[in-house]
């Protein structure tokens, strides 16, 4: 009887352990602009895999700070190289798994009921444009890109006094959507999400900075196996289709 | 002056204040035990409180009439108020307190600053702070402050209650001066019958919110309307008796088998209270011939000092109190246990129906 | 401390002081009404006045954003008729600080008013003083200690306000940046040295304000 009981207990233990192995919680720290697309991808991934994807969306700069401080992330999906490089320099990411996955376009958006016309970047210096919301240009990728674009055109000095810095690109989008600012600079993919804003100007590739979204495994991950699996899924064709649907460009 | 208080109805904690009275005196005392509603009545007259129903008229001016929804705001009633706690403004100097109610229209020389401060003898403390004043000085400053606002009526709530005997004696002359110098009617709340007697000419007896008697002071004291009033106006001897006979305006009353002759009461009655004031009882050793009809043999049960007098408790067949001066006591050699005759004049015995 | 940091400190102190001044008339009036009078809806108003003290500041900020934004009830009116914007300007900082600190003023002032002997006010009225005169010459001077203590408390609260401010004003150095916003932002950017310097200033200011407030409460009262 004793050996029979211990056999049952052993089986139960194996089952529990296996379930633990089989159904992992994968934590993904991702740029705010990826919110909708990643949620959709995670939903379809969840159908075939037992793993559950938990997201922390925010400004890539904020997320990088959190990972530096020891936050439990398995995957980091940044909106620019700078933040990924910062972590790589500190040896916090698995360099072998790093990959540039997406590109994006900058646009100038205005509130849905606005009559403001932006034919070119210099229009932003007009008196009629009093407040422009963008993600904090000191650190958040979307803001850094916007600043780089305007500096390139020698317009940053004139535009800067009008800038309302926000915590992340979605906050800038929300500011425009609420009508409390005259315009905002966000990603084209963000503008597509909101019905309350409209695109007034799309930054041509030639003028704009090179936007790259790298993703990588975080070294301190507790389930590198499961995390790698999801990371690979993000590189898959199915995931690519979803990204394209939302307006992202795929890096080949 | 005429202060008419009609249909006053004010529910208070334990009872309802009900007043229907007209006051005409120079000084009217509102007399009664503590908690009788006296302060609430003053508050009503000043407009600080509102009653469920009230009609208050001072001379020709209607101050309040709930039926007609009239209520003159406090600041326009022209009524000076010296409350029991004096309510001097602690953050202002004496001078600022005094001048608080002064306005440019006050032209009556009677209420001139110099005159008022002189009458009340507070010139020397004008520049001081309120906290530096003695009890008596505070009292006078509070009085002066009310007067300097040229009031038409002055309300005083127990002005001497918190003072010791010596100080009371000092302040009463000031009140008399105020009465005589400034000639404004005063409503004086007190539970001390000596104050009432010395300052007022009219009196309203208020007990548990009801007016038990109103009229000239002498009347109320000598002819209390009922036993309760008698008790409060301080009739020393109050005993139940039975009228056995009434003849030619005189009533024969039996108190514990002792026979007394009194004036017949206005309304015929049989069961009465016999009221005899201590000051109306004479103690005498030899009583050969006298006009006094009531000569009661008695022994002295106790002799206790009461101010300048002695209160002598006697057993005359019923408990009888006499107020005698100290010299008289010494002259007669009165001691506890002595036998003596108590004389009470017929008109001094007051009968109240039971 | 850099020039920008000094500017931020100066701006914070200036807006906090201004907010304390502008909440005074409304705060004292409401405190007096709550202390002295009984009126329908009093408990409701008492509760609403306490809300900014207990609700999450960001939640209060969200409410302000809705009401004072360009599409809001008040903000819309100001924008359409006066071309005046509140959100994302220094005026939003003033608004946030005022709303978050006024409950502290009202609570202190109310207690101070309640402690004034009503008899004094009544007697002042018998002496011919109008309601205003009684309030200004008797009630307020006697309640002054508690009122000043309340103002200092409100000022201290305004100095430290963050949640509502970040919702309605954003962080614009030189325009809407307050000490608390700057600390947060500097930590975000990894500029810890800046953050710690501002933290030091913040502690000193708060300490001074609360100390003075306690001092006023402790001073001896004048007695009659």
């Amino acid at each position: 009887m004793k050996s029979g009981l211990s056999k049952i207990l052993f089986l139960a233990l194996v089952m529990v352990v296996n379930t633990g192995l089989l159904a992992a919680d994968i934590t993904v720290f991702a740029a705010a602009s990826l919110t909708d697309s990643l949620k959709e991808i995670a939903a379809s991934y969840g159908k075939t895999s037992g793993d559950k994807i938990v997201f922390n969306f925010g400004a890539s700069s904020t997320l990088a700070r959190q990972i530096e401080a020891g936050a439990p992330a398995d995957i980091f999906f940044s909106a620019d190289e700078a933040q990924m490089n910062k972590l790589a320099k500190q040896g916090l990411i698995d360099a072998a798994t790093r990959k540039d996955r997406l590109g994006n376009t900058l646009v100038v958006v205005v509130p849905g009921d606005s009559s403001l016309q932006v034919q070119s970047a210099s229009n932003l210096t007009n008196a009629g444009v009093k407040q422009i919301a963008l993600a904090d240009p000191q650190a958040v990728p979307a803001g850094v890109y916007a600043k780089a674009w305007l500096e390139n055109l020698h317009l940053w000095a004139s535009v800067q006094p009008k800038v309302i810095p926000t915590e992340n690109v979605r906050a800038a989008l929300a500011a425009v959507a609420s009508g409390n600012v005259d315009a905002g600079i966000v990603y084209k993919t963000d503008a597509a999400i909101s019905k309350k804003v409209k695109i007034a100007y799309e930054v041509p590739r030639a003028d704009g900075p090179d936007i790259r979204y790298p993703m990588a495994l975080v070294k301190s991950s507790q389930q590198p196996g499961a995390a790698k699996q999801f990371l690979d899924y993000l590189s898959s064709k199915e995931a690519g289709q979803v990204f394209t649907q939302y307006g992202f460009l795929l890096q080949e | 002056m005429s202060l008419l208080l009609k249909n006053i109805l004010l529910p208070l904690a334990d009872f309802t204040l009900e007043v229907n009275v007209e006051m005409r005196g120079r000084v009217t005392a509102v007399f009664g035990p503590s908690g009788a509603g006296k302060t609430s009545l003053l508050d009503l007259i000043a407009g600080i409180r509102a009653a469920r129903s009230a009609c208050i008229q001072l001379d020709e001016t209607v101050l309040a009439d709930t039926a007609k929804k009239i209520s003159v705001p406090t600041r326009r009633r022209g009524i000076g108020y010296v409350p029991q706690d004096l309510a001097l403004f602690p953050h202002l100097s004496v001078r600022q307190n005094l001048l608080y109610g002064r306005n440019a229209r006050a032209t009556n020389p009677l209420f001139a600053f110099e005159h008022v401060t002189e009458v009340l003898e507070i010139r020397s403390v004008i520049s001081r702070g309120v906290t530096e004043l003695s009890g008596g000085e505070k009292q006078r400053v509070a009085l002066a402050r009310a007067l300097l606002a040229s009031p038409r009526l002055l309300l005083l709530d127990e002005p001497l209650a918190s003072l010791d005997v010596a100080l009371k004696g000092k302040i009463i002359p000031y009140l008399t001066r105020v009465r005589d110098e400034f000639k404004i009617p005063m409503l004086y709340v007190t539970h001390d019958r000596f104050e009432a007697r010395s300052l007022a000419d009219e009196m309203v007896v208020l007990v548990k919110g009801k007016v038990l008697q109103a009229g000239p002071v002498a009347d109320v004291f000598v002819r209390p309307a009922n036993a309760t009033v008698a008790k409060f106006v301080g009739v020393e001897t109050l005993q139940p008796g039975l009228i056995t006979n009434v003849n030619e305006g005189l009533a024969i009353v039996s108190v514990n088998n002792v026979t007394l002759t009194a004036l017949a009461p206005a309304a015929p009655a049989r069961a009465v209270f016999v009221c005899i004031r201590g000051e109306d009882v004479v103690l005498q050793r030899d009583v050969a011939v006298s006009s006094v009809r009531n000569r009661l043999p008695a022994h002295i049960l106790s002799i206790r000092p009461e101010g300048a007098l002695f209160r002598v408790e006697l057993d005359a067949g019923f408990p009888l109190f006499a107020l005698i001066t100290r010299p008289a006591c010494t002259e007669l050699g009165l001691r506890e246990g002595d036998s003596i005759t108590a004389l009470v004049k017929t008109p001094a015995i007051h009968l109240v129906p039971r | 401390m850099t020039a920008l940091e000094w500017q931020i400190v100066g701006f914070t102190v200036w807006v906090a002081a201004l907010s304390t001044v502008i909440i005074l008339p409304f705060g004292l009036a409401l405190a007096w009404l709550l202390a002295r009078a009984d009126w329908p809806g009093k408990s409701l108003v008492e509760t609403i006045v306490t809300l900014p003290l207990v609700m999450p500041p960001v939640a209060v900020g969200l409410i302000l954003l809705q009401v004072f934004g360009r599409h809001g009830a008040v903000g819309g009116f100001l924008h359409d008729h006066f071309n005046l914007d509140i959100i994302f300007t220094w005026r939003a900082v003033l608004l946030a600080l005022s709303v978050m600190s006024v409950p502290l003023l009202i609570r202190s002032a109310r207690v101070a008013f309640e402690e004034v002997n009503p008899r004094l006010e009544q007697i002042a009225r018998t002496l011919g003083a109008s309601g205003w005169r009684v309030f200004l010459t008797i009630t307020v001077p006697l309640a002054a200690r508690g009122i000043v203590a309340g103002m200092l408390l409100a000022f201290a609260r305004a100095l430290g306000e963050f949640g509502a401010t970040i919702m309605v004003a954003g962080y614009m150095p030189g325009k809407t940046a307050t000490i608390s916003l700057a600390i947060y932002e500097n930590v975000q950017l990894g500029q810890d040295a800046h953050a710690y310097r501002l933290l030091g200033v913040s502690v000193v200011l708060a300490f001074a304000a609360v100390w003075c407030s306690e001092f006023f409460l402790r001073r001896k009262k004048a007695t009659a």
Side-chain angles (χ1 to χ4, degrees):
Chain A
M1 213 57 243
K2 209 176 171 187
S3 73
L5 185 61
S6 51
K7 271 210 197 104
I8 293 169
L9 282 173
F10 180 68
L11 252 167
L13 188 65
V14 167
M15 279 176 68
V16 165
V17 168
N18 278 341
T19 327
L21 274 176
L22 280 175
D25 257 12
I26 303 173
T27 308
V28 177
F29 279 27
S33 45
L34 294 166
T35 306
D36 310 89
S37 49
L38 278 182
K39 277 196 186 156
E40 197 177 304
I41 291 172
S44 28
Y45 184 74
K47 288 200 194 105
T48 52
S49 150
D51 297 337
K52 185 162 152 237
I53 316 291
V54 175
F55 288 107
N56 180 9
F57 292 113
S60 309
S61 46
T62 308
L63 299 173
R65 276 285 285 183
Q66 290 171 348
I67 292 174
E68 274 175 341
D74 297 304
I75 295 173
F76 181 43
F77 202 152
S78 171
D80 75 2
E81 306 277 6
Q83 298 306 324
M84 187 62 84
N85 291 342
K86 199 160 72 162
L87 293 182
K89 226 183 340 192
Q90 296 176 62
L92 293 170
I93 53 147
D94 185 344
T97 59
R98 177 172 173 171
K99 181 177 170 177
D100 279 347
R101 184 61 172 117
L102 302 171
N104 212 331
T105 319
L106 283 180
V107 291
V108 176
V109 287
V110 293
D113 55 4
S114 165
S115 55
L116 189 64
Q117 301 278 42
V118 180
Q119 258 98 25
S120 73
S122 52
N123 286 159
L124 292 176
T125 59
N126 292 353
V129 182
K130 281 184 286 181
Q131 291 165 316
I132 305 172
L134 40 101
D136 192 350
Q138 286 192 70
V140 182
V144 172
Y145 288 140
K147 178 176 171 189
W149 163 51
L150 290 169
E151 270 179 335
N152 199 21
L153 298 173
H154 307 292
L155 293 170
W156 176 246
S158 347
V159 172
Q160 187 180 26
K162 310 186 195 201
V163 166
I164 312 276
T166 64
E167 193 164 339
N168 57 56
V169 71
R170 286 299 170 94
L173 184 70
V176 178
S178 71
N180 283 320
V181 293
D182 299 303
I185 304 175
V186 299
Y187 296 119
K188 188 168 167 183
T189 50
D190 299 311
I193 297 296
S194 172
K195 292 189 188 61
K196 294 206 192 127
V197 307
K198 56 186 186 203
I199 299 177
Y201 178 74
E202 187 170 320
V203 177
R205 284 218 85 167
D207 290 351
D210 189 17
I211 300 178
R212 288 175 181 270
Y213 282 59
M215 56 186 194
L217 212 61
V218 177
K219 261 211 194 131
S220 62
S221 167
Q222 295 296 303
Q223 40 254 346
K228 185 74 173 56
Q229 270 187 302
F230 183 61
L231 203 61
D232 290 338
Y233 185 73
L234 287 176
S235 298
S236 70
K237 213 165 75 164
E238 296 95 333
Q241 273 172 342
V242 176
F243 284 127
T244 319
Q245 249 181 302
Y246 278 90
F248 288 95
L249 306 167
L250 301 177
Q251 305 276 5
E252 299 310 337
Chain B
M1 84 113 185
S2 148
L3 176 64
L4 181 64
L5 301 171
K6 216 165 64 162
N7 298 332
I8 308 275
L9 265 178
L10 174 63
L12 294 171
D14 300 321
F15 52 80
T16 304
L17 181 65
E18 270 180 67
V19 176
N20 248 306
V21 83
E22 184 175 355
M23 305 184 200
R24 287 181 184 284
R26 264 188 322 165
V27 179
T28 305
V30 177
F31 179 76
S34 9
K38 310 193 293 288
T39 305
S40 305
L41 183 62
L42 290 192
D43 284 353
L44 261 180
I45 297 170
I48 292 171
R49 270 186 101 132
R52 185 191 291 172
S53 137
C55 179
I56 303 175
Q57 190 173 330
L58 177 61
D59 295 326
E60 275 80 51
T61 319
V62 175
L63 295 178
D65 190 339
T66 45
K68 298 204 191 113
K69 296 220 199 306
I70 301 174
S71 178
V72 176
T74 306
R75 72 179 198 275
R76 280 207 272 264
R77 291 196 183 194
I79 295 179
Y81 198 154
V82 183
Q84 199 165 350
D85 61 359
L86 301 182
L88 291 177
F89 305 131
H91 60 298
L92 300 177
S93 69
V94 169
R95 171 182 287 273
Q96 288 168 318
N97 265 275
L98 291 174
L99 293 174
Y100 193 86
R102 210 108 185 91
N103 59 52
R105 289 181 282 121
T107 48
N108 188 342
L110 208 57
F111 295 108
F113 188 78
E114 282 69 36
H115 187 223
V116 173
T117 51
E118 200 182 293
V119 170
L120 288 167
E121 290 180 15
I122 46 172
R123 320 271 328 250
S124 54
V125 302
I126 287 181
S127 49
R128 295 211 208 136
V130 159
T131 45
E132 301 163 43
L133 301 175
S134 70
E137 285 164 347
K138 283 189 190 161
Q139 205 84 45
R140 289 169 3 234
V141 168
L143 245 183
R145 179 179 65 177
L147 286 169
L148 284 166
S150 314
R152 300 191 292 170
L153 168 68
L154 195 59
L155 305 176
L156 300 124
D157 193 349
E158 309 253 18
L160 306 180
S162 55
L163 306 179
D164 60 40
V165 176
L167 207 46
K168 273 196 224 223
K170 287 209 193 116
I171 302 288
I172 289 193
Y174 288 108
L175 293 171
T176 321
R177 263 192 236 177
V178 168
R179 178 189 70 190
D180 299 333
E181 275 281 335
F182 296 102
K183 306 197 197 321
I184 17 170
M186 288 159 66
L187 209 61
Y188 187 104
V189 161
T190 182
H191 63 265
D192 182 318
R193 58 185 201 260
F194 293 111
E195 278 171 49
R197 284 256 281 249
S198 43
L199 288 164
D201 30 56
E202 275 202 7
M203 199 156 118
V204 171
V205 180
L206 195 65
V207 177
K208 279 216 169 42
K210 310 283 180 287
V211 175
L212 296 185
Q213 192 170 356
V217 167
D219 272 3
V220 177
F221 274 97
V222 174
R223 276 174 283 281
N226 55 50
T228 319
V229 177
K231 194 158 65 136
F232 282 116
V233 299
V235 166
E236 277 78 10
T237 303
L238 192 69
Q239 288 294 312
L242 287 170
I243 298 183
T244 54
N245 194 14
V246 177
N247 194 21
E248 286 176 4
L250 295 176
I252 310 294
V253 190
S254 166
V255 181
N256 278 6
N257 294 322
V258 177
T259 308
L260 300 170
T261 309
L263 291 179
R270 194 171 129 73
V272 287
F273 275 115
V274 171
C275 309
I276 304 175
R277 307 195 71 83
E279 46 252 40
D280 293 333
V281 178
V282 175
L283 297 181
Q284 198 161 326
R285 287 211 184 278
D286 301 316
V287 192
V289 181
S290 168
S291 69
V292 178
R293 298 293 88 198
N294 299 302
R295 301 178 218 168
L296 311 169
H299 1 277
I300 298 178
L301 295 177
S302 73
I303 304 178
R304 294 205 204 299
E306 199 165 287
L309 304 169
F310 275 134
R311 185 183 163 90
V312 183
E313 185 181 354
L314 304 146
D315 179 9
F318 60 89
L320 177 67
F321 292 89
L323 288 173
I324 307 287
T325 64
R326 290 174 192 240
C329 210
T330 321
E331 196 189 300
L332 268 76
L334 296 176
R335 275 190 230 318
E336 286 179 20
D338 271 6
S339 292
I340 193 111
T341 309
L343 299 163
V344 189
K345 291 189 69 166
T346 300
I349 300 182
H350 181 57
L351 299 175
V352 170
R354 244 196 292 159
Chain C
M1 293 272 288
T2 68
L4 176 62
E5 283 163 12
W6 280 121
Q7 190 275 336
I8 289 173
V9 170
F11 174 72
T12 310
V13 173
W14 153 244
V15 182
L18 187 58
S19 79
T20 308
V21 167
I22 67 172
I23 60 175
L24 210 51
F26 170 75
L28 288 187
L30 195 50
W32 188 88
L33 281 172
L34 289 173
R36 281 284 182 258
D38 231 346
W39 31 277
K42 183 172 168 179
S43 333
L44 185 64
V45 171
E46 269 172 329
T47 313
I48 292 178
V49 161
T50 314
L51 280 180
L53 270 182
V54 297
M55 273 179 67
V58 283
V60 175
L62 186 58
I63 295 174
L64 291 176
L65 193 60
Q66 291 299 99
V67 173
F68 288 88
R70 281 189 198 168
H71 294 308
V74 178
F77 175 77
L78 290 172
H79 180 75
D80 297 335
H81 290 84
F82 300 97
N83 206 21
L84 189 66
D85 284 326
I86 307 274
I87 306 298
F88 295 136
T89 69
W90 69 272
R91 290 178 284 273
V93 181
L94 186 62
L95 175 67
L97 300 198
S98 304
V99 170
M100 296 305 290
S101 64
V102 76
L104 287 170
L105 173 66
I106 291 178
R107 286 174 90 81
S108 290
R110 179 187 178 167
V111 168
F113 285 142
E114 281 169 352
E115 282 176 359
V116 174
N117 184 357
R119 232 350 170 196
L120 297 174
E121 294 171 342
Q122 290 163 354
I123 295 304
R125 279 193 282 147
T126 64
L127 291 169
S130 68
W132 268 119
R133 186 166 171 231
V134 174
F135 184 70
L136 292 171
T137 60
I138 307 291
T139 318
V140 167
L142 288 173
R145 280 180 332 131
I147 293 175
V148 172
M151 284 173 67
L152 286 167
L153 221 51
F155 177 67
R157 178 69 184 84
L159 281 178
E161 199 348 79
F162 177 78
T165 317
I166 200 168
M167 287 294 273
V168 301
Y171 173 79
M172 284 177 279
K175 285 205 235 146
T176 66
T178 60
I179 294 175
S180 44
L181 278 142
I183 292 176
Y184 180 70
E185 184 63 24
N186 279 305
V187 169
Q188 293 281 77
L189 295 173
Q191 289 169 356
D192 292 344
H194 289 270
Y196 284 121
R197 279 199 289 273
L198 288 168
L199 170 65
V201 174
S202 177
V203 169
V204 169
L205 285 174
F207 192 90
V210 176
W211 180 274
C212 291
S213 174
E214 292 297 309
F215 169 75
F216 263 96
L217 277 176
R218 269 187 270 117
R219 256 173 56 183
K220 280 214 184 308
K221 218 159 84 147
T223 47

